[in-house]
Amino acid sequence: MAQRGTGPQKGSEKGAAGPGPVVDDPRNLRNVVLVGHSGVGKTTLVEALLAATGTIERAGTVTDGSTVCDADPAAVRQQRSVNLAVAPVLVGDTKINFLDTPGYSDFVGELRAGLRAADAALFVVSAVDGMDAATIALWDECAAVGLPRGVVVTRLDAARADFDETVALCQRVFGEGVLPLYLPVHGERAADAAEDAGEPVVGLIGLITQTVFDYTNGYPPAEQPAQAAHVEAIEEARNALIEGIIAESEDETLMDRYLDGEAIDEATLIADLEKAVARGSFYPVIPVDAPSSVGLDSVLSGVVRGFPGPTEHNLPAVTDLDGSPRDPLTADPSGPLVAEVVKTTIDPYVGRVSLVRVFSGTLTPEVAVHIAGHGLAERGHPDHDADERVTHLYSPLGTALREVPRCIAGDVCAVTKSGTAETGDTISAKSDPLLIEQWQMPEPLLPVAIVAHTRSDEDALARNMARLVAGDPTLRLERNAETRQLVLWCMGEAHADVVLDRLRAGGAEIDTEPVRVALRETFAGTGTGHGRHVKQSGGHGQYAVCDIEVAPLPSGGGFEYLDKVVGGAVPHQYIPSVEKGVVNQLAAGLAAGFPVVDVRVTLTDGKAHSVDSSDAAFQTAGALALKDAAAQAGVTLLEPLDEIAVLVPDGHVGTVLSDLSSRRGRVLGTEQEPGDRTLVRAEVPATELLRYSVELRSMTSGTGSFTRHFVRYEPMPAQLADKIRAEHAAR
């Protein structure tokens, strides 16, 4: 039995009034993630569902920034979602946690979090705009893990809306088993309607029950049997649906009976439909017009009856802290506690808020738990383990928090004021600490160099950066000691804009600057150098003279130091001093301030003074000798070379190859991939890839992606090297 929690609520946001819903049986839970590209109406759909179920009094709109799910200032300003948001509703005894995800690819981390917390997915597709390649790829990804899916078609009242063509598109790109359960009924266009307005949607026709749902007088709809004209109009679609359901039926005799002319009763068809949807082998399509509430009841009914609960969904693997495997999890409220932080945000009033999906056991307040995060050190999240006490639990509704007494296996809740919890961390019993299998995150590929505007902003910048990195696994922080820059690696420009806005909102005034690539220097040829450091200013002076020979080594050869001094010209205690001076100068650079690599330095001769020579003097002489040798032998700048793998639809291969050539890239080969896509492998200088993620998205209409890894250093073209030297000299 679903019930309302009691206790205070945090926040004055829309929807904050009233206690949060509580469920004690996982079979009465549904976790559904809404996915689709930006602008298809996911947030509008969730807002309408909240109003239809009485969760909120009135639906807000994206354009005026009044929706529950898009309360973030960046979302309001951009009029698109930038965060994962949870919107729970009660339908009878069933609690549905709708997980609204951003559609823009820059915020894929929020999408991944939603998928992690979900047991089923609703793909939202516009009847006007079709779908993008990212949505198609996501469908394939969900199919690979057996996640049940459905399709909601929106924007049916737009001028160019075409429901039939949209369904056909879904069938072409998603594959078999995609069939509509309803057809939309359009009304007459109003005389005062805008020129670009389409025909309004006033109802739906149920294909199985042959029932007309009339929304002319509002929500919920009036129901009546379909008239003869309707029955004739839906006959073809109804037959296709029935055949599709029967093909997925576990009753192998059903198809023969149907082909023999037997009328299959509605109860049998609906039962087989629900089983096929829960299995993930049939994908119902529901037409919806959220502003007029058309189809909302069909969505809610389909989610409750068709999508599986947590007990029917495979759960992530778990191990002990040492990596030893444990028994598979089940969504049992009395089982061992295993939960995961799927998202972390910083509320200006509440502090750190952790969105948690409980996979096993029951999370209750005032109980000590173990929080563990392992395996993300490369992304700036060091391994950590800590015991903490959970003081309060909340049911999130957008940014509003409504206190609840418990959160059982399969449910989603929020925990506040954790001192250590980060996105991806495992929450388990203090007496039985466990680790949950990590979820895959794409690598951020757009670097943005930032600097505090003034010294007084540095503390605020450091504090806010730590919070942002803790909550966003797609954001990587790099403190580059060579370029002396603080670099944020982001998923794209929109992601970077949101991150910078949040840093500034936290009180850190920051500026951006061009990203510098860490180059290397090496000797162009052999040479000799003479270093003389002689100073006398009263008392002990400084005296050291050394002669060296330099020679370049093959790439990767490192540094070699040889001593070929004869006759004690350089006392043995000062030979390491020369080396130290040489090494320090190699690290500081000779031409443009970058470390010098792949060189052999041989000490051949020198002079010393019995009183004035010292370790420091010979270090200085060694550095001077190296500079002298560089002037004679010449210095070559080396740039890092990355190997990239670019995955694009076949139609964009030519554009990508031409662009790689303009970036001084060398194509290594191409490979055909499933789904009419091609993988292009190439070696490209890292200096040419600083904005490649943005430019690849532009040239492929958002369908291209790439990965990169460092290969080696190679000489930089002379004209570019001269520019780098000039910039260094001007500093």
Side-chain angles (χ1 to χ4, degrees):
M1 177 72 71
Q3 54 187 296
R4 295 284 180 180
T6 58
Q9 290 75 48
K10 290 189 178 289
S12 59
E13 297 87 350
K14 180 179 177 182
V22 179
V23 173
D24 291 317
D25 187 343
R27 292 174 296 182
N28 290 335
L29 283 168
R30 302 291 184 272
N31 297 305
V32 181
V33 60
L34 279 74
V35 298
H37 67 76
S38 185
V40 296
K42 300 184 296 298
T43 299
T44 301
L45 173 60
V46 172
E47 193 76 6
L49 291 168
L50 289 170
T53 55
T55 309
I56 58 176
E57 293 182 3
R58 181 176 59 87
T61 65
V62 172
T63 53
D64 62 18
S66 58
T67 63
V68 167
C69 294
D70 282 354
D72 188 287
V76 173
R77 187 180 68 256
Q78 298 180 19
Q79 294 195 357
R80 64 181 177 195
S81 299
V82 299
N83 288 321
L84 168 69
V86 182
V89 302
L90 281 177
V91 180
D93 290 339
T94 301
K95 176 186 177 185
I96 306 173
N97 290 314
F98 284 110
L99 300 147
D100 183 23
T101 65
Y104 199 64
S105 55
D106 276 18
F107 306 106
V108 66
E110 305 292 324
L111 170 61
R112 298 289 177 188
L115 289 170
R116 182 66 160 195
D119 301 310
L122 272 179
F123 279 71
V124 183
V125 180
S126 166
V128 178
D129 304 317
M131 71 185 75
D132 62 353
T135 303
I136 300 170
L138 186 60
W139 180 278
D140 295 337
E141 189 176 319
C142 291
V145 297
L147 191 70
R149 283 145 284 156
V151 179
V152 170
V153 178
T154 60
R155 300 192 63 196
L156 296 170
D157 60 344
R160 296 179 292 107
D162 190 331
F163 178 75
D164 294 337
E165 175 55 34
T166 303
V167 171
L169 172 65
C170 292
Q171 291 170 338
R172 288 196 301 272
V173 299
F174 291 158
E176 297 180 355
V178 179
L179 290 167
L181 302 184
Y182 306 84
L183 295 182
V185 177
H186 290 272
E188 293 185 2
R189 189 171 180 270
D192 59 349
E195 291 186 5
D196 58 348
E199 295 180 344
V201 181
V202 297
L204 301 179
I205 305 177
L207 296 181
I208 295 179
T209 62
Q210 300 186 88
T211 299
V212 175
F213 300 87
D214 185 0
Y215 296 82
T216 303
N217 295 321
Y219 183 91
E223 299 182 21
Q224 58 188 32
Q227 301 300 312
H230 286 143
V231 171
E232 183 178 350
I234 68 172
E235 181 180 5
E236 182 178 350
R238 184 173 190 270
N239 290 338
L241 174 62
I242 292 173
E243 291 173 10
I245 294 171
I246 292 174
E248 295 296 334
S249 174
E250 296 174 347
D251 183 352
E252 297 180 357
T253 68
L254 200 59
M255 180 62 80
D256 292 335
R257 289 156 49 196
Y258 173 73
L259 294 176
D260 288 341
E262 179 181 335
I264 310 300
D265 64 274
E266 293 177 5
T268 300
L269 289 173
I270 292 173
D272 283 343
L273 168 65
E274 292 171 354
K275 291 177 183 177
V277 172
R279 256 195 331 264
S281 59
F282 189 92
Y283 318 105
V285 180
I286 302 174
V288 171
D289 184 56
S292 60
S293 301
V294 173
L296 299 181
D297 51 320
S298 300
V299 172
L300 294 170
S301 174
V303 167
V304 172
R305 299 181 62 179
F307 281 160
T311 57
E312 304 170 68
H313 186 62
N314 293 330
L315 301 181
V318 291
T319 66
D320 291 326
L321 296 183
D322 62 4
S324 304
R326 294 287 293 265
D327 293 336
L329 296 177
T330 59
D332 180 2
S334 60
L337 175 63
V338 180
E340 184 177 31
V341 179
V342 296
K343 177 177 172 58
T344 306
T345 57
I346 305 299
D347 186 277
Y349 304 105
V350 182
R352 184 175 296 194
V353 180
S354 302
L355 183 65
V356 175
R357 162 71 193 259
V358 180
F359 289 104
S360 173
T362 299
L363 189 60
T364 55
E366 300 301 333
V367 173
V369 297
H370 185 80
I371 299 177
H374 292 199
L376 290 175
E378 291 184 357
R379 289 181 177 262
H381 301 261
D383 291 354
H384 54 276
D385 291 271
D387 293 330
E388 293 189 18
R389 182 175 295 275
V390 176
T391 54
H392 298 280
L393 294 178
Y394 300 94
S395 173
L397 177 58
T399 56
L401 300 176
R402 304 166 298 170
E403 191 161 2
V404 292
R406 60 193 168 276
C407 184
I408 67 166
D411 207 351
V412 176
C413 67
V415 175
T416 59
K417 299 181 180 179
S418 169
T420 59
E422 299 181 356
T423 301
D425 283 4
T426 303
I427 299 176
S428 55
K430 179 180 177 181
S431 58
D432 186 20
L434 298 171
L435 274 176
I436 202 164
E437 180 184 35
Q438 287 288 340
W439 28 304
Q440 290 298 114
M441 277 292 176
E443 187 72 18
L445 295 168
L446 177 67
V448 179
I450 61 173
V451 61
H453 188 67
T454 65
R455 277 196 166 278
S456 61
D457 294 311
E458 292 179 355
D459 289 342
L461 174 59
R463 183 172 59 252
N464 288 316
M465 274 308 317
R467 292 174 178 174
L468 285 179
V469 172
D472 188 351
T474 64
L475 177 66
R476 180 161 59 87
L477 178 64
E478 176 190 357
R479 291 181 173 86
N480 195 312
E482 294 182 22
T483 62
R484 297 179 179 85
Q485 285 188 309
L486 184 65
V487 179
L488 298 176
W489 287 86
C490 305
M491 296 303 302
E493 286 184 311
H495 185 210
D497 288 344
V498 169
V499 170
L500 295 177
D501 283 350
R502 288 174 179 167
L503 285 173
R504 292 177 178 125
E509 187 64 31
I510 56 174
D511 300 313
T512 60
E513 61 181 5
V515 177
R516 296 191 291 272
V517 175
L519 306 180
R520 294 290 185 269
E521 302 175 9
T522 193
F523 279 86
T526 60
T528 59
H530 177 72
R532 184 174 186 275
H533 181 63
V534 178
K535 286 188 177 181
Q536 188 68 45
S537 57
H540 282 298
Q542 299 180 50
Y543 188 94
V545 178
C546 64
D547 293 297
I548 62 171
E549 294 177 353
V550 297
L553 293 176
S555 178
F559 169 67
E560 294 181 6
Y561 179 71
L562 303 178
D563 169 25
K564 291 189 177 180
V565 176
V566 295
V570 178
H572 65 87
Q573 69 267 30
Y574 296 136
I575 291 175
S577 302
V578 176
E579 180 182 9
K580 190 182 297 183
V582 166
V583 168
N584 290 339
Q585 188 60 54
L586 289 174
L590 294 168
F594 296 104
V596 182
V597 297
D598 304 332
V599 61
R600 177 190 296 118
V601 176
T602 304
L603 178 61
T604 59
D605 199 1
K607 292 180 182 180
H609 188 278
S610 59
V611 175
D612 292 341
S613 290
S614 65
D615 171 66
F618 270 98
Q619 285 190 46
T620 303
L624 292 172
L626 191 69
K627 290 180 179 180
D628 187 48
Q632 181 186 124
V635 175
T636 299
L637 291 189
L638 304 175
E639 60 182 348
L641 196 71
D642 286 2
E643 181 177 323
I644 66 171
V646 188
L647 184 62
V648 293
D650 291 345
H652 293 289
V653 172
T655 303
V656 168
L657 291 175
S658 176
D659 177 74
L660 289 174
S661 177
S662 71
R663 297 175 188 272
R664 299 185 286 125
R666 291 193 295 269
V667 176
L668 303 177
T670 60
E671 302 171 18
Q672 196 63 39
E673 295 289 321
D676 297 324
R677 294 182 296 175
T678 298
L679 186 70
V680 180
R681 298 190 181 277
E683 291 182 344
V684 185
T687 52
E688 302 286 348
L689 295 175
L690 294 178
R691 292 184 53 80
Y692 189 61
S693 62
V694 175
E695 289 152 359
L696 176 65
R697 182 177 298 163
S698 174
M699 76 179 79
T700 62
S701 302
T703 60
S705 62
F706 79 105
T707 59
R708 61 187 286 186
H709 67 271
F710 171 76
V711 179
R712 62 185 177 276
Y713 284 94
E714 282 197 351
M716 176 178 275
Q719 68 274 19
L720 296 179
D722 290 342
K723 182 180 178 182
I724 297 292
R725 288 189 178 94
E727 291 174 353
H728 176 71
R731 288 177 195 165

